[in-house]
Amino acid sequence: NPNRRHTPMEFWQFMLMNFLLRGNAYARLVRDSNNEVIEMWPLSADQVEVDVLPDKSIVYKYNYEGKVIVYSEDSIFHWRDKGNGIVGMSRLDYMRNSVGVAVEAQNQTLQTYLNSGKRPGVFMIDKLLTAEQRDKIRQNYQGLVEGGQDDLLVLEAGAKFEPLALSPADLQLLDTRRFSVEDIARWFGISSVLINDTTKTTTWGTGISQLIEGFYKFRLRTLLESLEQAIERRVLTS
């Protein structure tokens, strides 16, 4: 057990989340009189700064409730991803565009549903209108392009409504959302089949077994070795 509050699963889930998203996972080490670690308390990566002192030693500054607590290198378990050797790279910073596309696709889908699939367009009338008349038409026929009302709108005097934007099908919105999921999975080295993508293959057999074995060898195993070595170096005593 890492400490009196967290179960091992809770502790390592927190550490893994920080490692994968922020590139760094931190835990405060509590040692006994024999310098053995008796407790490990997880620290949010967003609240920790790493400084290198002139003598090349490292200190960790933990920002908590408006205060800054400084810890020596021996008091912190630091599990870092690829980076400059001091801190790991934040994966979220590098995958910002991929996440941005996924968020925009989600927002577009939500907006489409809120508007009942309606699209912006041009309301055409074969005569000149005053500013007041144009505002009145916008108010009366606003339901053509937004909202979820199912009222029957009647166009008079040769008026015509022509949608402008492409439909969600034309924009391949569903394909965009599917690609975004795959793209984000790639950043974490996850195969499509492991995120329940059945478009590539639907048969559980030798091919799937090989994919899972490859995921273990080329992704999970390296991740576990990184964690094991970090524990041996920074937690265990000789």
Side-chain angles (χ1 to χ4, degrees):
N1 287 317
N3 55 65
R4 60 181 178 273
R5 181 182 302 165
H6 301 107
T7 66
M9 179 66 74
E10 292 170 345
F11 175 84
W12 289 116
Q13 283 179 335
F14 180 89
M15 297 292 287
L16 183 62
M17 179 187 68
N18 280 265
F19 177 86
L20 291 177
L21 297 182
R22 296 302 185 187
N24 300 276
Y26 304 96
R28 178 173 62 89
L29 303 178
V30 179
R31 300 179 183 272
D32 61 12
S33 58
N34 296 321
N35 204 35
E36 297 284 349
V37 174
I38 56 176
E39 287 185 333
M40 298 175 65
W41 291 90
L43 305 176
S44 173
D46 292 333
Q47 297 175 251
V48 178
E49 298 179 16
V50 183
D51 282 348
V52 180
L53 302 181
D55 62 357
K56 306 303 180 182
S57 62
I58 295 177
V59 294
Y60 296 88
K61 298 179 179 179
Y62 180 52
N63 298 275
Y64 180 70
E65 294 184 349
K67 300 179 181 179
V68 177
I69 307 173
V70 180
Y71 295 103
S72 67
E73 191 171 4
D74 292 338
S75 299
I76 296 293
F77 169 63
H78 185 186
W79 179 26
R80 51 178 167 253
D81 203 353
K82 297 179 290 292
N84 61 5
I86 305 299
V87 293
M89 296 187 303
S90 174
R91 203 180 306 261
L92 278 183
D93 290 340
Y94 285 88
M95 60 184 287
R96 191 178 303 277
N97 288 337
S98 299
V99 175
V101 170
V103 171
E104 287 299 324
Q106 176 68 24
N107 290 339
Q108 181 65 34
T109 301
L110 176 60
Q111 190 61 44
T112 299
Y113 277 104
L114 290 177
N115 287 339
S116 298
K118 298 175 181 178
R119 296 176 280 159
V122 177
F123 192 91
M124 293 178 286
I125 299 179
D126 56 355
K127 66 178 182 178
L128 294 176
L129 301 173
T130 65
E132 182 179 352
Q133 288 174 325
R134 286 195 293 269
D135 291 338
K136 189 66 174 178
I137 288 176
R138 288 193 186 98
Q139 180 180 354
N140 289 342
Y141 297 102
Q142 192 173 10
L144 287 170
V145 296
E146 64 182 46
Q149 297 178 354
D150 294 325
D151 295 339
L152 176 63
L153 298 176
V154 179
L155 305 183
E156 303 178 78
K160 181 181 179 182
F161 177 75
E162 186 69 31
L164 278 179
L166 295 174
S167 67
D170 293 331
L171 291 172
Q172 296 182 324
L173 187 57
L174 292 179
D175 288 341
T176 300
R177 295 185 66 191
R178 184 180 299 113
F179 174 79
S180 296
V181 173
E182 296 176 0
D183 196 28
I184 293 174
R186 289 190 193 98
W187 280 98
F188 297 97
I190 307 299
S191 174
S192 296
V193 70
L194 298 180
I195 56 172
N196 295 324
D197 183 4
T198 59
T199 60
K200 302 296 186 298
T201 179
T202 57
T203 303
W204 286 91
T206 304
I208 301 300
S209 299
Q210 291 176 346
L211 285 174
I212 295 176
E213 183 179 356
F215 170 73
Y216 172 77
K217 288 182 178 179
F218 301 114
R219 176 54 182 158
L220 189 57
R221 185 61 250 169
T222 57
L223 186 70
L224 293 174
E225 288 180 357
S226 171
L227 176 59
E228 291 166 358
Q229 292 176 11
I231 293 175
E232 289 176 353
R233 173 67 64 86
R234 302 181 179 96
V235 178
L236 302 181
T237 57
S238 56

mmCIF file of all heavy atoms in Angstrom, residues 24-41:
data_model
loop_
_atom_site.group_PDB
_atom_site.id
_atom_site.type_symbol
_atom_site.label_atom_id
_atom_site.label_comp_id
_atom_site.label_asym_id
_atom_site.label_seq_id
_atom_site.Cartn_x
_atom_site.Cartn_y
_atom_site.Cartn_z
ATOM 1 N N ASN A 24 5.285 13.460 -16.911
ATOM 2 C CA ASN A 24 5.942 13.367 -15.607
ATOM 3 C C ASN A 24 4.941 12.908 -14.550
ATOM 4 O O ASN A 24 3.790 13.353 -14.555
ATOM 5 C CB ASN A 24 6.513 14.727 -15.175
ATOM 6 C CG ASN A 24 7.537 15.269 -16.148
ATOM 7 O OD1 ASN A 24 8.713 14.920 -16.101
ATOM 8 N ND2 ASN A 24 7.088 16.139 -17.050
ATOM 9 N N ALA A 25 5.396 12.025 -13.678
ATOM 10 C CA ALA A 25 4.586 11.595 -12.540
ATOM 11 C C ALA A 25 5.431 11.766 -11.282
ATOM 12 O O ALA A 25 6.601 11.368 -11.245
ATOM 13 C CB ALA A 25 4.148 10.138 -12.700
ATOM 14 N N TYR A 26 4.835 12.380 -10.267
ATOM 15 C CA TYR A 26 5.569 12.682 -9.041
ATOM 16 C C TYR A 26 4.851 12.086 -7.831
ATOM 17 O O TYR A 26 3.622 12.025 -7.786
ATOM 18 C CB TYR A 26 5.683 14.195 -8.831
ATOM 19 C CG TYR A 26 6.318 14.958 -9.967
ATOM 20 C CD1 TYR A 26 5.523 15.571 -10.934
ATOM 21 C CD2 TYR A 26 7.695 15.087 -10.066
ATOM 22 C CE1 TYR A 26 6.089 16.298 -11.968
ATOM 23 C CE2 TYR A 26 8.279 15.812 -11.094
ATOM 24 C CZ TYR A 26 7.464 16.407 -12.050
ATOM 25 O OH TYR A 26 8.027 17.124 -13.082
ATOM 26 N N ALA A 27 5.663 11.690 -6.848
ATOM 27 C CA ALA A 27 5.122 11.240 -5.565
ATOM 28 C C ALA A 27 6.092 11.659 -4.462
ATOM 29 O O ALA A 27 7.315 11.540 -4.622
ATOM 30 C CB ALA A 27 4.906 9.737 -5.544
ATOM 31 N N ARG A 28 5.546 12.155 -3.374
ATOM 32 C CA ARG A 28 6.375 12.519 -2.220
ATOM 33 C C ARG A 28 6.709 11.263 -1.426
ATOM 34 O O ARG A 28 5.818 10.460 -1.113
ATOM 35 C CB ARG A 28 5.644 13.539 -1.347
ATOM 36 C CG ARG A 28 6.417 13.952 -0.099
ATOM 37 C CD ARG A 28 5.704 15.089 0.620
ATOM 38 N NE ARG A 28 4.380 14.691 1.087
ATOM 39 C CZ ARG A 28 4.151 14.132 2.278
ATOM 40 N NH1 ARG A 28 5.171 13.863 3.108
ATOM 41 N NH2 ARG A 28 2.912 13.822 2.637
ATOM 42 N N LEU A 29 7.969 11.100 -1.092
ATOM 43 C CA LEU A 29 8.436 9.920 -0.375
ATOM 44 C C LEU A 29 8.589 10.235 1.117
ATOM 45 O O LEU A 29 9.203 11.240 1.481
ATOM 46 C CB LEU A 29 9.778 9.449 -0.940
ATOM 47 C CG LEU A 29 9.811 9.122 -2.436
ATOM 48 C CD1 LEU A 29 11.215 8.725 -2.862
ATOM 49 C CD2 LEU A 29 8.810 8.031 -2.777
ATOM 50 N N VAL A 30 8.031 9.376 1.938
ATOM 51 C CA VAL A 30 8.200 9.487 3.385
ATOM 52 C C VAL A 30 9.088 8.331 3.828
ATOM 53 O O VAL A 30 8.767 7.166 3.578
ATOM 54 C CB VAL A 30 6.841 9.426 4.114
ATOM 55 C CG1 VAL A 30 7.041 9.515 5.625
ATOM 56 C CG2 VAL A 30 5.930 10.548 3.622
ATOM 57 N N ARG A 31 10.202 8.654 4.483
ATOM 58 C CA ARG A 31 11.182 7.637 4.872
ATOM 59 C C ARG A 31 11.240 7.499 6.394
ATOM 60 O O ARG A 31 10.951 8.445 7.133
ATOM 61 C CB ARG A 31 12.572 7.991 4.327
ATOM 62 C CG ARG A 31 12.624 8.101 2.805
ATOM 63 C CD ARG A 31 14.014 8.484 2.313
ATOM 64 N NE ARG A 31 14.056 8.662 0.863
ATOM 65 C CZ ARG A 31 14.283 7.688 -0.004
ATOM 66 N NH1 ARG A 31 14.531 6.465 0.450
ATOM 67 N NH2 ARG A 31 14.303 7.925 -1.298
ATOM 68 N N ASP A 32 11.638 6.313 6.836
ATOM 69 C CA ASP A 32 11.800 6.087 8.262
ATOM 70 C C ASP A 32 13.238 6.377 8.667
ATOM 71 O O ASP A 32 14.041 6.889 7.885
ATOM 72 C CB ASP A 32 11.388 4.658 8.634
ATOM 73 C CG ASP A 32 12.239 3.613 7.938
ATOM 74 O OD1 ASP A 32 13.296 3.959 7.344
ATOM 75 O OD2 ASP A 32 11.853 2.421 7.966
ATOM 76 N N SER A 33 13.589 6.045 9.899
ATOM 77 C CA SER A 33 14.931 6.334 10.409
ATOM 78 C C SER A 33 16.016 5.557 9.677
ATOM 79 O O SER A 33 17.192 5.932 9.711
ATOM 80 C CB SER A 33 14.991 6.027 11.911
ATOM 81 O OG SER A 33 14.638 4.662 12.152
ATOM 82 N N ASN A 34 15.651 4.464 9.014
ATOM 83 C CA ASN A 34 16.620 3.678 8.250
ATOM 84 C C ASN A 34 16.660 4.089 6.782
ATOM 85 O O ASN A 34 17.258 3.386 5.960
ATOM 86 C CB ASN A 34 16.280 2.188 8.353
ATOM 87 C CG ASN A 34 16.393 1.670 9.768
ATOM 88 O OD1 ASN A 34 17.304 2.048 10.515
ATOM 89 N ND2 ASN A 34 15.463 0.799 10.164
ATOM 90 N N ASN A 35 16.022 5.193 6.460
ATOM 91 C CA ASN A 35 15.976 5.723 5.101
ATOM 92 C C ASN A 35 15.161 4.848 4.157
ATOM 93 O O ASN A 35 15.272 4.965 2.938
ATOM 94 C CB ASN A 35 17.384 5.921 4.529
ATOM 95 C CG ASN A 35 17.401 6.959 3.417
ATOM 96 O OD1 ASN A 35 16.653 7.947 3.460
ATOM 97 N ND2 ASN A 35 18.229 6.741 2.414
ATOM 98 N N GLU A 36 14.317 3.982 4.724
ATOM 99 C CA GLU A 36 13.441 3.166 3.898
ATOM 100 C C GLU A 36 12.133 3.912 3.637
ATOM 101 O O GLU A 36 11.584 4.562 4.534
ATOM 102 C CB GLU A 36 13.129 1.844 4.604
ATOM 103 C CG GLU A 36 14.345 0.957 4.861
ATOM 104 C CD GLU A 36 14.812 0.258 3.604
ATOM 105 O OE1 GLU A 36 14.078 0.303 2.596
ATOM 106 O OE2 GLU A 36 15.899 -0.328 3.627
ATOM 107 N N VAL A 37 11.636 3.821 2.429
ATOM 108 C CA VAL A 37 10.382 4.481 2.074
ATOM 109 C C VAL A 37 9.220 3.721 2.706
ATOM 110 O O VAL A 37 9.054 2.517 2.495
ATOM 111 C CB VAL A 37 10.207 4.548 0.549
ATOM 112 C CG1 VAL A 37 8.831 5.106 0.193
ATOM 113 C CG2 VAL A 37 11.290 5.410 -0.069
ATOM 114 N N ILE A 38 8.409 4.431 3.477
ATOM 115 C CA ILE A 38 7.261 3.792 4.138
ATOM 116 C C ILE A 38 5.935 4.325 3.581
ATOM 117 O O ILE A 38 4.891 3.710 3.802
ATOM 118 C CB ILE A 38 7.310 3.996 5.658
ATOM 119 C CG1 ILE A 38 7.390 5.481 6.009
ATOM 120 C CG2 ILE A 38 8.492 3.240 6.255
ATOM 121 C CD1 ILE A 38 7.336 5.767 7.499
ATOM 122 N N GLU A 39 5.973 5.472 2.888
ATOM 123 C CA GLU A 39 4.761 6.018 2.277
ATOM 124 C C GLU A 39 5.122 6.742 0.984
ATOM 125 O O GLU A 39 6.218 7.312 0.860
ATOM 126 C CB GLU A 39 4.047 7.000 3.209
ATOM 127 C CG GLU A 39 3.340 6.348 4.391
ATOM 128 C CD GLU A 39 2.561 7.364 5.198
ATOM 129 O OE1 GLU A 39 2.953 8.561 5.195
ATOM 130 O OE2 GLU A 39 1.566 6.982 5.829
ATOM 131 N N MET A 40 4.185 6.720 0.035
ATOM 132 C CA MET A 40 4.322 7.475 -1.204
ATOM 133 C C MET A 40 3.012 8.229 -1.438
ATOM 134 O O MET A 40 1.950 7.622 -1.506
ATOM 135 C CB MET A 40 4.621 6.548 -2.387
ATOM 136 C CG MET A 40 5.924 5.782 -2.256
ATOM 137 S SD MET A 40 6.179 4.587 -3.616
ATOM 138 C CE MET A 40 6.332 5.707 -5.013
ATOM 139 N N TRP A 41 3.116 9.570 -1.555
ATOM 140 C CA TRP A 41 1.936 10.404 -1.753
ATOM 141 C C TRP A 41 1.995 11.046 -3.135
ATOM 142 O O TRP A 41 2.934 11.766 -3.450
ATOM 143 C CB TRP A 41 1.862 11.500 -0.677
ATOM 144 C CG TRP A 41 1.567 10.953 0.680
ATOM 145 C CD1 TRP A 41 2.462 10.533 1.620
ATOM 146 C CD2 TRP A 41 0.269 10.740 1.238
ATOM 147 N NE1 TRP A 41 1.813 10.079 2.737
ATOM 148 C CE2 TRP A 41 0.458 10.202 2.538
ATOM 149 C CE3 TRP A 41 -1.026 10.963 0.797
ATOM 150 C CZ2 TRP A 41 -0.602 9.875 3.375
ATOM 151 C CZ3 TRP A 41 -2.098 10.650 1.626
ATOM 152 C CH2 TRP A 41 -1.873 10.114 2.898
#
